[in-house]
Amino acid sequence: MAPYLQEPLYNETYYEKESIKGDDSVQKPQAVKYVPGMTAVQSYANAYEYEDLKPSFPDIHWGPLTEVPYHDKALDGSPDFRNLLDAASDVFDYNPKIGTEIHGIRLTSLTDAQKNDLARLIATRGVVFFRNQDDFDIEAQRKLGSYFGKLHKHATTSVPRREGLEDVHVVFANQNSKDQRAYFTPTFLWHSDVTYELQPPSYTSLKLLSGPPRGGGGDTLWSSQYAAYDALSKPMQTYLESLTALHSAEMQAEGSRALGRPVRRDPVITEHPLVRTHPVTGWKSLFFNPGFVTKIVGVPKTESDAIIRYLNEIISTTQELHVRFQWNKNDVAFWDNRISNHSASYGFAPHQRHAVRVACHGERPTFDPAGTSQEEQLNQQFGLPLVNKDGSGQSNYND
């Protein structure tokens, strides 16, 4: 796990003065105050600096989205990311498949060359984390998002109370929020944002404004769709490459209407390839998520349901696809929505958790049969053997 940069709010070491050899100024550490499973709750009752970024649901309506030009800035980035990484003080991966953390970089100070390298790194690693970006306010977040493409406006979820920020999605829960765990299976919570759009988002940022202290929960998980594709056998890869899937906004719209909230754009159902090829890396990935994919096109329902169950299991249970991020205030995650799924985690009550998300439209998903496998390319580059995909043998499992 990455270094934790926020001072703990509850698990502190307290000191009492002790006289040693006549020196009354020497302090002796007392035992750490610790209660298993309990962390101190911060109150925001008196004043909260982000009141204007709390959620609202304005009753407005937009027309349907139409296709917009898109140029992936990562294509202009350096393959070795040197413009970006030469300015960093530390860089490390969470695991070989997904997740990288960078220290020493201020997102507000990036040059265009560094922004391009950042996009290329995100496209390569799936999600990149930055700690303690306190000067990266909502305007800076929108400005950086706009550099990568036209900002997406969500049709149903909350936007900030402050007017003019309809392209910002608000994540908010506190001690008064309803516990929603019973409404969703853990598998269903895995999703890629608004994949029902004609041009689903590419580069997406989320900044935590306030959240639980260390040990208080509220982590986010991401999974690599490059690695999900590579987990499949060759025959299964070939089969899925021939299929498309329906991505639906209907459930989100129905949920909003049931709560008496406006639906700002009519829901759509869009057909996308089940496997897509990334325009920058050239790697193939699944383009599937349990949250929005409802049917596989061109096959019987029994077969469609079986494919969906199978891919749900691959995404949610294949541990090497996953990275888990423990947030601190002002941390930022930047991910490529085209080639990763993510999931929130529950169980952080009664803590407040407040974050803002900005996403730009990407290209319309396409499949290029000339695309390559991330795993095969990197194994060849690093001199590693091909991964065994024959499960018919026997093995003595080891932890």
Side-chain angles (χ1 to χ4, degrees):
M1 177 55 64
Y4 197 88
L5 303 185
Q6 177 175 300
E7 290 299 319
L9 297 181
Y10 193 89
N11 299 339
E12 302 177 12
T13 299
Y14 291 81
Y15 291 87
E16 63 177 359
K17 287 191 175 182
E18 179 184 275
S19 177
I20 299 179
K21 294 182 181 179
D23 185 354
D24 292 335
S25 65
V26 177
Q27 291 182 331
K28 175 185 176 181
Q30 271 190 337
V32 171
K33 289 192 175 182
Y34 167 70
V35 179
M38 182 62 186
T39 50
V41 178
Q42 182 172 350
S43 173
Y44 300 95
N46 295 327
Y48 182 53
E49 60 184 315
Y50 298 115
E51 285 289 338
D52 61 332
L53 298 181
K54 280 187 174 180
S56 68
F57 297 89
D59 189 5
I60 54 180
H61 191 80
W62 304 315
L65 292 174
T66 58
E67 196 160 356
V68 296
Y70 178 72
H71 170 72
D72 198 318
K73 295 290 188 177
L75 293 169
D76 303 325
S78 171
D80 60 6
F81 322 111
R82 290 299 5 135
N83 298 302
L84 178 68
L85 299 186
D86 282 349
S89 60
D90 192 19
V91 183
F92 55 90
D93 292 341
Y94 277 59
N95 65 60
K97 300 295 185 183
I98 184 171
T100 299
E101 185 165 319
I102 301 179
H103 295 177
I105 296 290
R106 306 306 300 179
L107 291 172
T108 53
S109 302
L110 296 178
T111 66
D112 286 356
Q114 290 174 323
K115 295 173 188 176
N116 298 339
D117 279 11
L118 173 58
R120 196 174 188 103
L121 182 61
I122 297 167
T124 303
R125 292 293 303 158
V127 58
V128 178
F129 305 115
F130 298 88
R131 298 285 185 179
N132 196 28
Q133 301 288 312
D134 55 350
D135 58 341
F136 191 60
D137 62 19
I138 191 59
E139 294 302 339
Q141 190 175 356
R142 295 174 69 230
K143 182 178 180 181
L144 183 54
S146 296
Y147 178 82
F148 296 126
K150 179 181 174 59
L151 296 185
H152 175 262
K153 294 182 179 181
H154 203 292
T156 59
T157 57
S158 57
V159 301
R161 293 176 179 176
R162 188 200 310 174
E163 292 185 1
L165 300 180
E166 289 80 16
D167 48 22
V168 176
H169 165 65
V170 177
V171 176
F172 186 85
N174 62 16
Q175 70 275 13
N176 299 318
S177 298
K178 190 174 184 179
D179 188 343
Q180 301 189 71
R181 280 177 288 185
Y183 298 127
F184 307 104
T185 64
T187 300
F188 181 81
L189 288 174
W190 284 100
H191 67 283
S192 178
D193 292 327
V194 297
T195 55
Y196 47 75
E197 303 290 27
L198 190 65
Q199 293 173 265
S202 56
Y203 303 111
T204 303
S205 65
L206 182 71
K207 179 179 176 178
L208 188 74
L209 304 177
S210 58
R214 178 172 58 181
D219 300 353
T220 304
L221 296 87
W222 283 263
S223 68
S224 168
Q225 299 233 62
Y226 291 143
Y229 171 84
D230 286 333
L232 308 174
S233 68
K234 284 288 186 184
M236 182 59 72
Q237 288 174 343
T238 300
Y239 172 52
L240 297 185
E241 287 170 3
S242 71
L243 299 175
T244 58
L246 298 183
H247 299 241
S248 175
E250 293 285 352
M251 183 180 294
Q252 276 192 338
E254 290 171 5
S256 291
R257 293 188 183 111
L259 293 171
R261 295 170 179 170
V263 175
R264 297 185 288 271
R265 187 166 50 242
D266 292 341
V268 296
I269 298 175
T270 306
E271 185 175 345
H272 290 309
L274 195 52
V275 176
R276 70 185 294 175
T277 307
H278 198 285
V280 178
T281 64
W283 294 331
K284 297 176 183 178
S285 74
L286 277 183
F287 191 57
F288 171 88
N289 69 89
F292 297 123
V293 173
T294 56
K295 295 178 182 177
I296 308 300
V297 178
V299 300
K301 187 177 189 305
T302 302
E303 190 170 336
S304 173
D305 290 349
I307 293 170
I308 289 174
R309 284 195 304 270
Y310 170 59
L311 295 182
N312 284 351
E313 182 175 2
I314 291 288
I315 287 169
S316 61
T317 68
T318 310
Q319 292 88 344
E320 63 265 28
L321 311 185
H322 299 166
V323 60
R324 184 177 187 125
F325 186 62
Q326 188 179 64
W327 294 91
N328 308 295
K329 181 179 179 179
N330 293 321
D331 288 349
V332 175
F334 235 122
W335 69 93
D336 191 335
N337 196 64
R338 298 167 291 187
I339 46 87
S340 64
N341 284 307
H342 59 278
S343 175
S345 60
Y346 289 113
F348 57 87
H351 297 290
Q352 177 169 294
R353 186 172 181 269
H354 186 192
V356 282
R357 190 191 75 200
V358 171
C360 72
H361 290 274
E363 76 283 359
R364 192 167 186 171
T366 59
F367 172 70
D368 182 356
T372 57
S373 155
Q374 180 196 51
E375 188 168 68
E376 290 179 6
Q377 182 177 323
L378 294 182
N379 281 10
Q380 183 178 19
Q381 179 180 336
F382 301 139
L384 300 175
L386 293 177
V387 174
N388 173 48
K389 295 185 178 180
D390 182 359
S392 63
Q394 289 183 315
S395 174
N396 181 20
Y397 172 75
N398 291 310
D399 288 335

